[in-house]
Amino acid sequence: MENSKYLIKGGRVIDPETGLDGLMDILIEDGKIASIGNPQSKIRNPKPELIDASGKIVTPGLIDMHVHLREPGHEYKETIETGCLAAAHGGFTAICCMPNTVPVNDNQSVTDYILKKAGSAGTVRVYPVGAISLGLRGESLAGYGEMNAAGAVAVSDDGNPVMNAQLMRRALEYAKGFGLLVISHCEDRNLTENGVMNEGAVATRLGLEGIPNSAETVMVARDIDLCELTGAPVHIAHVSTEGAVRLIREAKARGLPVTTETAPHYFSLTEDAVANYDTNAKVHPPLRTVADRDAVREALADGTIDVIASDHAPHSSMEKELEFDRAANGMIGLETSLPLSLKLVEMGLLSLMDLVAKMSNNPARILKLDYVGLKPGNPADLTIIDPEKRFTVDADTFRSKSRNTPFNGWQLKGKAVLTVVGGKIVFDDQ
Amino acid sequence: MGLSKKDILDIESLSVEEIELILDTAESLKEISTRPIKKVPTLRGKTIVNFFYEPSTRTRTSFEIAAKRLSADTVGISASASSIVKGETLVDTARNLEAMNPDAIVIRHKSAGAAHMLAGLVDASVINSGDGMHAHPTQALLDMMTVREKKGRLSALRVAIIGDIAHSRVARSNTLGFGKMGANVILAGPPTMIPRGIEALGAPFTYHVAEAIKDADVIIMLRIQKERQGGYLFPSEREYAQCYGLTTERIAGAKEDVLIMHPGPINRGVEIAPDVADGPYSVILDQVANGVAVRMAILYLLLGGPR
């Protein structure tokens, strides 16, 4: 890390960890936060470079705990380098990458490879998520010990549900021994069957096979029960249904170590986005009804949903310019996640403090990262947000290699303008 | 006068007036098929591609004959004998077909939305002749033509559509079409074959065939796909025939002059008993004859005028 010094001046600093919310300056030295508040007295020569943050919001670096980087194996969709760059542009200082690469990240070598590539990309921090089962096949446990030693922070078979309840039980138990978080993609594949969008009136009208909410909720119920049985924390990925948030709310009220995330598309869109067979709106779990979207929003507001994560899933035109039922699931999200989430603040559903918690502090705590929030001594990971900046989403300007977003052309307000990782500016649009 | 639209993709996008125009035109063109020389020069010099990704005998032949009776040149492509088996995408196939400048492309495809997708890619008129479970507008139009011909009207008729509603594009297009023209449609089938959200199509449903048939003016039976037998939808053809099949006894509940229809191909003894299919109420072969007329009308209305 270059030995640079920065003084971020005049921004509104918001940090749920310390409870800070006010206009103050932050001094960065040696890649770390040197002081917050009134650091002028602590400034020694050489003088720090000034970053004017007046009118802006300064937050701890945003963390997206659900990203698909596609490398190794599908570099034509995304590489670790382009994914990290997209993250930096979206205001993220750290991301978790899911193991459904080719080969699967189910062993130390792949974890090592990812971290080596991320290191040479030199932008945001990458925390690999290893596989729950070897090859994501849902048959036998992957080597959590060796992956953990190599730097994996969690395990998940994301993209594939763990259909075998006994394997899930043992995964939760075994992961507990390493303090590894288990992230569960909750979907009953038998209930999904050939479904390609939400089951209901829109699917029936379009003649597309539907996926019922139960495909998600029966697995959420199972995993909550297995969490209770094993005492191991479980993190439910990308919740999309009213039933799932209700189950998770109850589980939390009973004190179970269950956490959860949702993605911006689940609180921004409904199944109507599919109405013109738009494959960019094809995603797993599928976009749901207005009632589900509103339940997800309510669960964000009341704290049931801890985390906003993008589930950034890059696909090329080869996977998307197809008949709807043949197109791949997933949408990219790193470069739209924060602006879409800021709409929740605009709508009065979340305070800025809550939003920052869901996009930085909560994921850091759930992942047991050794730094949370803006505290002196922590690595200088922070994001400067211009809350008033209006822009039109233009996928052609994305740093991601892929263009599969249903939000193209949306008018949004508020975005990251500066991203700092370990005292290094990795994105600057000031 | 022609239709002021490029494509026929589904019933939803047709107005009542457009449906009437198509049916009126079909009626007047029907006579051509009874002449000794069954050909008029109306579409001479027009090229029509029949693009069938799914197997089809009736619909494909019907379009082919309709086009030829209007003197259009037709080219047929089927999935098994085309670049589809070599892995070409629909987008690429569309671009290649477009480069040959056809006037219309008739498409049958197993994916819902495929016709919409094609229509967005080519300047040629696209006629959907069945896309997955979504729509089969020419079938609905020929069914409406048949009923109107026999009954003199569509409004206020009770039309029962019975069978695997969930997987049927014919059910969707007919429910919307007959409903749009003022008929009272009722859907029936086992609960496993009635999809959630069916209310969106604007018709009530029942799980009891007798209830649907009661006082019906028209009964449209849907084909049961044999490959679904023994899965999760129904236990066996035998049980289906017993509980949901159309038999002479069941027809007794309908109006005296009920019309029995089926889009074909029929499974004799499963959804329809042989004596019913061949019986006095059956207009199944009128449907086929009218299919040619309706398709002639659509081709004429789309391609006949200046574009």
Side-chain angles (χ1 to χ4, degrees), chain A residues 12-26:
Chain A
R12 178 181 167 194
V13 174
I14 297 180
D15 176 25
E17 181 68 12
T18 52
L20 291 176
D21 181 358
L23 297 180
M24 53 194 87
D25 302 341
I26 300 178

Side-chain angles (χ1 to χ4, degrees), chain B residues 111-170:
Chain B
S111 296
H116 283 77
M117 189 177 175
L118 181 65
L121 292 165
V122 298
D123 287 333
S125 285
V126 172
I127 301 167
N128 184 5
S129 70
D131 63 326
M133 312 185 316
H134 173 234
H136 195 351
T138 62
Q139 178 71 43
L141 288 163
L142 73 89
D143 287 346
M144 288 188 271
M145 178 183 175
T146 305
V147 172
R148 203 177 73 160
E149 192 177 75
K150 303 285 178 194
K151 299 280 184 194
R153 66 192 162 102
L154 293 171
S155 63
L157 293 177
R158 182 174 164 87
V159 179
I161 303 177
I162 299 168
D164 187 356
I165 309 294
H167 296 94
S168 175
R169 54 192 171 215
V170 175

Side-chain angles (χ1 to χ4, degrees), chain B residues 21 33-34 51 54 84 119 152 170 186 202 221 239 242 248 260 284:
Chain B
L21 174 64
S33 296
T34 64
F51 193 16
E54 264 189 347
I84 317 316
V170 175
I186 180 162
M221 296 306 293
E239 173 152 326
Q242 250 176 42
T248 309
I260 308 293
I284 293 172

Side-chain angles (χ1 to χ4, degrees), chain A residues 190 193 199-213 276-277 318 320-326, chain B residues 12 53 89-91 95 109-114 116-117 131 133-134 167 172 195-198 200-201 232:
Chain A
N190 294 321
E193 213 172 23
E199 182 176 297
V202 180
T204 293
R205 192 167 53 74
L206 292 173
L208 293 170
E209 299 260 15
I211 303 170
N213 282 18
N276 213 18
Y277 299 101
M318 282 189 284
K320 284 293 191 180
E321 284 182 13
L322 293 174
E323 299 86 330
F324 193 87
D325 56 355
R326 296 183 62 205
Chain B
E12 271 168 303
Y53 275 76
T89 65
L90 180 59
V91 174
R95 287 177 183 144
H109 197 289
K110 66 177 172 16
S111 296
H116 283 77
M117 189 177 175
D131 63 326
M133 312 185 316
H134 173 234
H167 296 94
R172 280 175 178 75
R196 287 176 66 215
I198 189 68
L201 298 184
Y232 303 121

